[in-house]
Amino acid sequence: MTILHARRLLASALLLSFATLSHAQDWAKARLDTSPRHHEYVPLKHGSRTVQAFVVYPEVKTKAPVVVLIHEIFGLSDWAKEMADELAAQGFIVVAPDLLSGFGPNGGGSSEFPSQDATVKAVSALDADVVTADLDAAADYAKKIPAGNGKLAVVGFCWGGGKSFAFATHRKDLSADFVFYGPGPADVTPITAPVYGFYAGNDSRIGATLPATTAAMKAAGKKFEPVTYENAGHGFMRAGEDPNNTVPGNKTAREQAFTRLVSLLQQMKSAPVASSSAASSLKEGQREDQSGTLAKSAPAIVACHDANSTRHAAASM
């Protein structure tokens, strides 16, 4: 009985270990471990809350723009941190807040959850106001980094793509906003920064929201440049560099989208620093379009993952 009990304990431990590793990305971690760039974790405090942020510095001589990176519904994963490192390699400081900080087991963050499914559930349950406050803390910190040049952009992926789009309605000092396969917000009229979209051709759930978002942005006189990458699926930026990817379109889309992202960020370097007082004198929630008429609001936001799509996304990880 003692041997049988020991075997059962060992089996349970192995199952727990496999569950923990099921959402790990060893290939991304390996790239992080060999990166020459400086990585650090910074506690960002606002009110009674502390958010841990992963910060990466480029190896450059001059001050650099800062990018706030919003992770997928899978939390601040090894891939999200590796993506931050890749952007830093292109000459940008990157601040990637762990929006699950304090919500994990024993008060931990993304790395403390025992499985991918548990992480997805936790991210799905985050309060939108708390997320906005966390992102504000990250943006405020980014603006004060001594090595930063005052330019601030936000990039988000999947769930983070929707949050990135929504954050552009709240934050007036963004120089650019980048949305990867995320839905548009309910009201686009407060947006002041140019928004660049990256969408997958084989992602009808998010793709179906794109025409209405495009129309709303146009009606509001906002700059919105969406590009759809054919033969790619939702999450192609991660899937496209995963060695286990079996969809050629994901890899092609990932390469093309990354080149476009870096090119747009490079253009941001020569743009003037955005002012936090960029909002017009119209009432909150109203902006005039180019013809002088009040713009219409976009349709209600569609969550990046509902109960069914989270299971689909987790299966494709």
Side-chain angles (χ1 to χ4, degrees), residues 54-259:
F54 179 71
V55 182
V56 190
Y57 286 86
E59 295 186 321
V60 295
K61 292 182 178 180
T62 59
K63 292 187 176 184
V66 185
V67 178
V68 172
L69 186 149
I70 309 177
H71 58 66
E72 298 176 294
I73 201 165
F74 306 117
L76 189 64
S77 62
D78 288 330
W79 174 78
K81 290 184 282 189
E82 190 263 339
M83 184 75 242
D85 184 77
E86 285 195 72
L87 288 176
Q90 300 299 320
F92 307 96
I93 302 169
V94 184
V95 178
D98 183 357
L99 300 173
L100 284 176
S101 295
F103 298 126
N106 302 314
S110 292
S111 63
E112 299 301 316
F113 286 89
S115 68
Q116 179 177 286
D117 190 56
T119 306
V120 169
K121 288 179 180 178
V123 172
S124 300
L126 289 175
D127 182 273
D129 291 337
V130 174
V131 170
T132 298
D134 287 353
L135 293 177
D136 264 335
D140 291 343
Y141 174 80
K143 295 282 284 189
K144 296 175 182 177
I145 292 176
N149 67 0
K151 309 286 183 62
L152 176 65
V154 174
V155 56
F157 303 88
C158 176
W159 174 87
K163 293 301 180 183
S164 175
F165 216 147
F167 194 57
T169 69
H170 166 77
R171 193 84 186 191
K172 307 301 182 183
D173 56 351
L174 301 181
S175 294
D177 188 79
F178 301 93
V179 178
F180 281 82
Y181 27 86
D187 181 10
V188 303
T189 56
I191 293 175
T192 58
V195 180
Y196 303 95
F198 302 74
Y199 299 91
N202 298 339
D203 184 14
S204 61
R205 181 175 55 85
I206 297 299
T209 70
L210 189 54
T213 299
T214 302
M217 290 289 281
K218 182 177 181 181
K222 309 301 179 181
K223 183 174 182 178
F224 180 48
E225 296 182 0
V227 172
T228 297
Y229 298 87
E230 298 301 333
N231 303 314
H234 187 84
F236 62 78
M237 288 300 288
R238 169 180 38 79
E241 60 176 323
D242 187 337
N244 298 315
N245 171 57
T246 59
V247 180
N250 286 337
K251 185 175 186 298
T252 301
R254 194 267 174 201
E255 292 171 351
Q256 294 177 349
F258 186 75
T259 298

